[in-house]
Amino acid sequence: MYRHILVPLDGSELAGALLAQAVEFARALGARITFFTMVEDYGATQEGALMRTLSPERFETEMKRQASAILSKAAQAAQAAGLTCDAVVRVGSEAYVQIIEVAREEGCDLIYMASHGHRGLKALMLGSQTQKVLTHSPLPVFVAKTAPLRGGDMTA
């Protein structure tokens, strides 16, 4: 069925719950996982642009550190389940566009995402990234109903 699954993560409690479900899902299918996280383009803000200009190495190191904390926990969970995994980081501002592009570029055949927890009219008004991926993705999207993990988020 599905052989390569893209799992977008943002470091939140909800993403921690999604990670556990996605790893089990991939293990059951014998699929490999590509974990993805997007770092907001802090460089597009005035403060971020100044930091990027004054110290581009420090700016890049900090962006990579944030993403690495998220993806290293994901890779550990996949490896503990005996799964092959990759990790992709992008800097950007529209997560849904990045998710779809990475899934295509990596040759994924399924995007596995969390619902954002909102229902009905509120969900439509907020315009979640999951809803945008569902609307625009040419690939199938599995939307997992998740609840935040107890004991904190998955960031370091």
Side-chain angles (χ1 to χ4, degrees), residues 34-90:
T34 295
F35 295 109
F36 167 70
T37 193
M38 187 191 84
V39 178
E40 286 292 324
D41 189 4
Y42 174 64
T45 68
Q46 285 183 342
E47 182 181 332
L50 179 62
M51 184 177 170
R52 185 180 351 201
T53 302
L54 295 176
S55 180
E57 297 84 17
R58 184 173 173 207
F59 177 81
E60 185 175 335
T61 299
E62 179 57 24
M63 296 297 102
K64 287 181 179 178
R65 185 198 64 75
Q66 292 173 17
S68 178
I70 293 168
L71 295 175
S72 67
K73 287 189 178 189
Q76 289 172 4
Q79 291 165 355
L83 297 174
T84 301
C85 70
D86 293 305
V88 176
V89 177
R90 293 276 173 87

Side-chain angles (χ1 to χ4, degrees), residues 17-144:
L18 176 74
L19 172 61
Q21 290 179 0
V23 166
E24 180 54 32
F25 183 76
R27 190 193 61 71
L29 293 177
R32 73 181 238 232
I33 295 179
T34 295
F35 295 109
F36 167 70
T37 193
M38 187 191 84
V39 178
E40 286 292 324
D41 189 4
Y42 174 64
T45 68
Q46 285 183 342
E47 182 181 332
L50 179 62
M51 184 177 170
R52 185 180 351 201
T53 302
L54 295 176
S55 180
E57 297 84 17
R58 184 173 173 207
F59 177 81
E60 185 175 335
T61 299
E62 179 57 24
M63 296 297 102
K64 287 181 179 178
R65 185 198 64 75
Q66 292 173 17
S68 178
I70 293 168
L71 295 175
S72 67
K73 287 189 178 189
Q76 289 172 4
Q79 291 165 355
L83 297 174
T84 301
C85 70
D86 293 305
V88 176
V89 177
R90 293 276 173 87
V91 175
S93 60
E94 292 185 289
Y96 82 96
V97 172
Q98 299 286 338
I99 291 166
I100 294 167
E101 285 180 5
V102 169
R104 182 182 44 79
E105 290 167 8
E106 295 295 318
C108 297
D109 53 11
L110 178 71
I111 300 172
Y112 192 103
M113 297 184 72
S115 64
H116 51 56
H118 301 293
R119 304 268 184 258
L121 185 58
K122 186 174 184 179
L124 292 175
M125 290 175 65
L126 291 175
S128 76
Q129 295 303 311
T130 301
Q131 183 62 43
K132 290 175 184 176
V133 171
L134 282 167
T135 302
H136 298 285
S137 177
L139 294 173
V141 180
F142 183 96
V143 180

